[in-house]
C-alpha cells in the first residue's frame, strides 16, 4: 500500500475549526521547519504575520489551533521526511487534537500546489514562499471542510519590513534574509521553480533589523540568500531588470560587498556571517571587505558540486574547475586564515569514475574545513530531469558519496589539527550537548569549539587555547574573556 493510501484511511474530514471560533480563544500556532536556513528564517516571518493576528506560538502540537510545516523539496528524501511527519500529525489530530488545522508552507507547497490537497487529505492550507502575508485570509477561508491554497510567486516580495518573531533560538545568533529566489537554474535544482525569481531586499530594512538585533542582545547575524554574491539593490524588483536602468540609476545601486560593509558597521560586537556564496559570482571586492572588517567572519561556504568541468557544464553551474580553483586561490591570498566549506553532489547524470576522481582531486587541492555532501536525487521538471539521463546506479552514487565523505573527514581532521596550540576568539552559544559542565561556541572560521564552563556564559566572547581536536570539534580552555 502506498503511503498516500494509508493516509486516506486515517483522515477525518469536516473537523476543521472556523477562525471565528479560534478568534474567541487564545489562538495558538505550532511551526515545524525543515530544509535550509531560509526556511527557518521564513517560519519566523510567518510567526510575525500571525502574531499580529493574535496568535501565540506553542511548543506543544497537541495544544495548537494551527499546525504549520515549512517544507523542503531539494531532494526526494526531504519530501519523504515531510510526508512521514504528516502521518504523525494525522495520528495526533485523530487522538489528541481534533480541532487543529494543518498548513503546508514552503517549497513542497509551491511544487505540488493543490495536488497536495488530493494527496494528503489531512492538509487544510497550502501556501507558497511568497504568499505568507495572505495566511490570515487563508486561515479564515478554511471552514466546513473547505481548503485554501495560495502559491502565487512574486517578483517583488521580500517581506522587507516584517520583524521576524525569533523562534526557538538561543538569543545570540540570528538569520537575516537579504535575497529571495534564485535565477541560476542549476540543472539539478528545484529551487528556482519553488522560490521564483531572484530579488534583493532593501538594505535599509536589513541594517535596521540588524540594529534591532543588537538592541535585543544578539551577537551574530547570518545574512541569507540562495546566492548572496548576486545581491543587488536598485530600488526593488527582480535582479534581471537591473540591465534596463540608466547608467546613473545603476551607479546608485548597492552590491553585496557594500551591503556587508553596512552590516559590519552596525556594531563591532555583532559578528557577521553569510550564506550561500556562488563561485561564478564571488568577486574579490567581497573578499577585501571580509578582510577589512574584524567582525565579518573569515568563513565562506562555496558549493562546488563537482570537480569535473564537463559535469559542471551539464549542471549549468556557470564555472569550470579552473575558475573554482582560482576563486579558492583568491580567498587564500586575501583572507589567509579563511575557513572554507562546500556542497558536493555524487553521481550526477553521466558521471564516470574519472569524473568522480576529479571531484576527489579537487577536494585534495582545497582541503575543505567542512562539507555538505549528497548523492544526486532527480527532481521533477528540472532541466536535468527533462534533458539528461539519471544513469548512475544507486549503489555507485552511494559508494562515491562514501568516498567523498571519508576524504572530507580526513581533511577536516587535518584542518582541525592545524589549530591545536592556537588561540581562537569564540562566541559562546550554549551548553555542550555532551556535558553540562562544558560550553560550546564557534570561532570565526565556523568550527565548533568546546571548553569547560567555569564562570562563562552564552553570549560572552572568549579567547580559547585549543588543546585537542576531533574531525568535527576543537577542544580547549578559556584564557580570557573579552
Ligand atoms: N540532488 C542532490 N543534491 C542536491 N542539491 C540541490 N539539488 C540537489 C539534487 N537534486 C544540493 C546542492 C546544493 C545543496 C543545497 O543541495 O549541493 O548546493
Ligand atoms: Fe539551486 Fe543553483 Fe540556485 Fe543554489 S544556485 S538554489 S543550487 S539553482
Amino acid at each position: 500500500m502506498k503511503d498516500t493510501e494509508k493516509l486516506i484511511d486515517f483522515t477525518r474530514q469536516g473537523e476543521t475549526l472556523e477562525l471565528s471560533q479560534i478568534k474567541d480563544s487564545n489562538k495558538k500556532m505550532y511551526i515545524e521547519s525543515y530544509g535550509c536556513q531560509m526556511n527557518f528564517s521564513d517560519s519566523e516571518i510567518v510567526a510575525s504575520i500571525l502574531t499580529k493576528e493574535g496568535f501565540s506560538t506553542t511548543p506543544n502540537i497537541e495544544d495548537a489551533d494551527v499546525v504549520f510545516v515549512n517544507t523542503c523539496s531539494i531532494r526526494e528524501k526531504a519530501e519523504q521526511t515531510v510526508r512521514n511527519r504528516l502521518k504523525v500529525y494525522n495520528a495526533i489530530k485523530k487522538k489528541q487534537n481534533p480541532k487543529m488545522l494543518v498548513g503546508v508552507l514552503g517549497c513542497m507547497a509551491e511544487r505540488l500546489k493543490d495536488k497536495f490537497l488530493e494527496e494528503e487529505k489531512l492538509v487544510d492550507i497550502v501556501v507558497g514562499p511568497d504568499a505568507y502575508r495572505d495566511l490570515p485570509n487563508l486561515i479564515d477561508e478554511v471552514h466546513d471542510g473547505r481548503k485554501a491554497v495560495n502559491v502565487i510567486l512574486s517578483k517583488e516580495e521580500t517581506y522587507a519590513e516584517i520583524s521576524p518573531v525569533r523562534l526557538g533560538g538561543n538569543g545570540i545568533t540570528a538569520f537575516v534574509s537579504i535575497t529571495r529566489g534564485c535565477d541560476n537554474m542549476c540543472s539539478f535544482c528545484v529551487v528556482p521553480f519553488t522560490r521564483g525569481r531572484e530579488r534583493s531586499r532593501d538594505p535599509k530594512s536589513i541594517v535596521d533589523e540588524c540594529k534591532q538585533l543588537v538592541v535585543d542582545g544578539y551577537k551574530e547575524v547570518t545574512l541569507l540568500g540562495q546566492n548572496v554574491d548576486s545581491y543587488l539593490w536598485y530600488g526593488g524588483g527582480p535582479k534581471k531588470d537591473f540591465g534596463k536602468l540608466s547608467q546613473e540609476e545603476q551607479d546608485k545601486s548597492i552590491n553585496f560587498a557594500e551591503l556587508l560593509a553596512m552590516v559590519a558597521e552596525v556594531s563591532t560586537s555583532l559578528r557577521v556571517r553569510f550564506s550561500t556564496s556562488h563561485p561564478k559570482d564571488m568577486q574579490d571586492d567581497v573578499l577585501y571587505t571580509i578582510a577589512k572588517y574584524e567582525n565579518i567572519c573569515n568563513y565562506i561556504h562555496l558549493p562546488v558540486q563537482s570537480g569535473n568541468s564537463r559535469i559542471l557544464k551539464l549542471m549549468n553551474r556557470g564555472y569550470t574547475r579552473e575558475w573554482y580553483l582560482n576563486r579558492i586561490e583568491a580567498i587564500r591570498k586575501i583572507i589567509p586564515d579563511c575557513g572554507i566549506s562546500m556542497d558536493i553532489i555524487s553521481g550526477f547524470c553521466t558521471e564516470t569514475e574519472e569524473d568522480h576522481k576529479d571531484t576527489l582531486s579537487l577536494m585534495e587541492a582545497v582541503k575543505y574545513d567542512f562539507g555538505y555532501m549528497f548523492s544526486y536525487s532527480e527532481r521533477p521538471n528540472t532541466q536535468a530531469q527533462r534533458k539528461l539521463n539519471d544513469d548512475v546506479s544507486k549503489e555507485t552514487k552511494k559508494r562515491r558519496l562514501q568516498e567523498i565523505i571519508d576524504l572530507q573527514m580526513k581533511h577536516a581532521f587535518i584542518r582541525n589539527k592545524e589549530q591545536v596550540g592556537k588561540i581562537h576568539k569564540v562566541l559562546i552559544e550554549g551548553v555542550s550537548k555532551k556535558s553540562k559542565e562544558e560550553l560550546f561556541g564557534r570561532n570565526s572560521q565556523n568550527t565548533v569549539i568546546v571548553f569547560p564552563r567555569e564562570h562563562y556564559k552564552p553570549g560572552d566572547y572568549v579567547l580559547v587555547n585549543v588543546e585537542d581536536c576531533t574531525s568535527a570539534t576543537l577542544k580547549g580552555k578559556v584564557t580570557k574573556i573579552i
Side-chain angles (χ1 to χ4, degrees), residues 8 29 59 63 74 139 194 252 318 351 409:
I8 292 164
M29 64 182 145
D63 300 339
I74 201 126
I139 295 173
T194 60
K252 278 194 243 151
E351 186 188 73
M409 291 271 282

Side-chain angles (χ1 to χ4, degrees), residues 182 184-186 188-189 191-192 226 278 305 317:
C182 184
N184 286 323
M185 289 291 178
C186 297
F188 52 79
C189 189
V191 168
Q226 243 69 45
H278 197 303
Q305 315 299 0
R317 287 289 291 177

Side-chain angles (χ1 to χ4, degrees), residues 35-69:
C36 63
Q37 294 166 331
M38 189 69 94
N39 260 7
F40 286 77
S41 172
D42 277 2
S43 293
E44 297 184 338
I45 286 167
V46 168
S48 173
I49 289 168
L50 290 177
T51 300
K52 288 203 183 83
E53 295 294 312
F55 281 83
S56 59
T57 52
T58 170
N60 304 318
I61 192 166
E62 298 81 8
D63 300 339
D65 298 291
V66 188
V67 172
F68 290 114
V69 56

Side-chain angles (χ1 to χ4, degrees), residues 36 73-76 186-191 226 276 301 303-305 315 317 342-346 348 372-379 382 384:
C36 63
S73 282
I74 201 126
R75 284 168 289 276
E76 200 185 331
C186 297
S187 63
F188 52 79
C189 189
V190 78
V191 168
Q226 243 69 45
T276 295
H301 180 57
V304 64
Q305 315 299 0
M315 287 177 161
R317 287 289 291 177
M342 52 68 171
D343 291 345
I344 287 178
I345 300 176
S346 79
F348 185 65
Y372 302 88
M373 297 151 283
F374 317 97
S375 61
Y376 174 57
S377 162
E378 188 178 75
R379 306 310 293 133
T382 54

Side-chain angles (χ1 to χ4, degrees), residues 17 49 111 180 183 197 206 212 223 251 305 324 391:
L17 196 72
I49 289 168
R111 193 177 85 69
R180 295 186 75 81
D183 285 346
R197 296 278 64 78
I206 296 169
Q212 187 56 46
L223 306 179
D251 290 346
Q305 315 299 0
Y324 185 90
D391 56 358

Side-chain angles (χ1 to χ4, degrees), residues 191-437:
V191 168
F193 304 97
T194 60
R195 289 192 161 266
R197 296 278 64 78
E198 184 183 311
R199 60 222 104 114
S200 298
R201 178 178 169 192
D202 185 341
K204 184 175 178 310
S205 75
I206 296 169
V207 168
D208 285 349
E209 188 175 330
C210 293
K211 282 184 182 161
Q212 187 56 46
L213 285 166
V214 173
V215 170
D216 294 342
Y218 282 80
K219 297 285 173 66
E220 183 180 295
V221 287
T222 302
L223 306 179
L224 292 181
Q226 243 69 45
N227 173 0
V228 289
D229 295 287
S230 142
Y231 176 90
L232 189 65
W233 175 255
Y234 62 91
K239 168 89 186 280
K240 280 193 164 155
D241 289 351
F242 180 68
K244 296 177 195 159
L245 302 182
S246 69
Q247 191 59 46
E248 200 190 335
E249 284 168 316
Q250 288 195 6
D251 290 346
K252 278 194 243 151
S253 64
I254 289 176
N255 67 16
F256 182 55
E258 290 161 329
L259 176 76
L260 255 188
M262 287 163 74
V263 174
E265 282 173 16
V266 165
S267 164
T268 51
S269 73
L270 185 73
R271 265 187 175 182
V272 185
R273 298 186 187 276
F274 53 87
S275 189
T276 295
S277 301
H278 197 303
K280 84 177 159 61
D281 295 317
M282 197 190 64
Q283 307 285 330
D284 288 357
D285 60 348
V286 170
L287 303 180
Y288 284 113
T289 305
I290 299 169
K292 181 176 164 193
Y293 290 92
E294 199 271 335
N295 58 331
I296 303 181
C297 289
N298 292 347
Y299 167 58
I300 298 178
H301 180 57
L302 198 66
V304 64
Q305 315 299 0
S306 166
N308 175 270
S309 294
R310 183 184 69 86
I311 293 291
L312 288 170
K313 192 154 199 289
L314 286 179
M315 287 177 161
N316 198 28
R317 287 289 291 177
Y319 56 86
T320 58
R321 173 188 174 98
E322 290 67 34
W323 171 275
Y324 185 90
L325 287 172
N326 164 284
R327 294 292 73 212
I328 296 288
E329 219 176 283
I331 296 171
R332 298 261 185 251
K333 195 176 93 210
I334 300 168
I335 319 164
D337 62 343
C338 194
I340 305 178
S341 62
M342 52 68 171
D343 291 345
I344 287 178
I345 300 176
S346 79
F348 185 65
C349 310
T350 78
E351 186 188 73
T352 64
E353 217 47 43
E354 284 308 304
D355 300 335
H356 167 61
K357 284 194 181 126
D358 284 345
T359 296
L360 297 179
S361 75
L362 181 131
M363 290 175 70
E364 283 290 1
V366 180
K367 289 201 178 55
Y368 293 100
D369 296 78
F370 327 97
Y372 302 88
M373 297 151 283
F374 317 97
S375 61
Y376 174 57
S377 162
E378 188 178 75
R379 306 310 293 133
N381 298 324
T382 54
Q383 270 183 53
Q385 188 263 324
R386 283 185 280 121
K387 299 205 177 108
L388 301 171
N389 230 340
D390 183 12
D391 56 358
V392 179
S393 72
K394 241 187 180 165
E395 294 69 41
T396 304
K397 281 179 186 169
K398 207 172 149 195
R399 193 250 309 148
R400 289 180 189 165
L401 176 62
Q402 197 54 54
E403 287 174 13
I404 292 166
I405 292 171
D406 291 345
L407 186 59
Q408 182 47 42
M409 291 271 282
K410 191 175 123 194
H411 290 159
F413 193 48
I414 293 172
R415 287 291 182 212
N416 280 354
K417 271 198 297 194
E418 288 170 0
Q419 303 309 320
V420 175
K422 293 187 183 156
I423 305 262
H424 290 257
K425 183 175 169 181
V426 174
L427 171 61
I428 305 179
E429 289 179 34
V431 177
S432 157
K433 276 191 197 128
K434 287 198 183 140
S435 160
K436 279 188 183 152
E437 297 313 308

Side-chain angles (χ1 to χ4, degrees), residues 93-135:
K93 180 162 176 144
K94 212 171 163 190
K95 293 201 188 106
Q96 287 154 284
N97 188 359
K99 71 175 188 301
M100 80 192 207
L101 298 181
V102 175
V104 179
L105 314 173
C107 288
M108 254 177 112
E110 191 63 49
R111 193 177 85 69
L112 290 163
K113 305 187 170 54
D114 37 13
K115 240 172 81 187
F116 220 119
L117 298 175
E118 289 160 31
E119 292 178 6
E120 305 280 0
K121 293 282 185 274
L122 162 84
V123 173
D124 302 291
I125 307 167
V126 177
V127 193
D130 286 345
Y132 297 145
R133 285 183 205 265
D134 197 25
L135 268 167

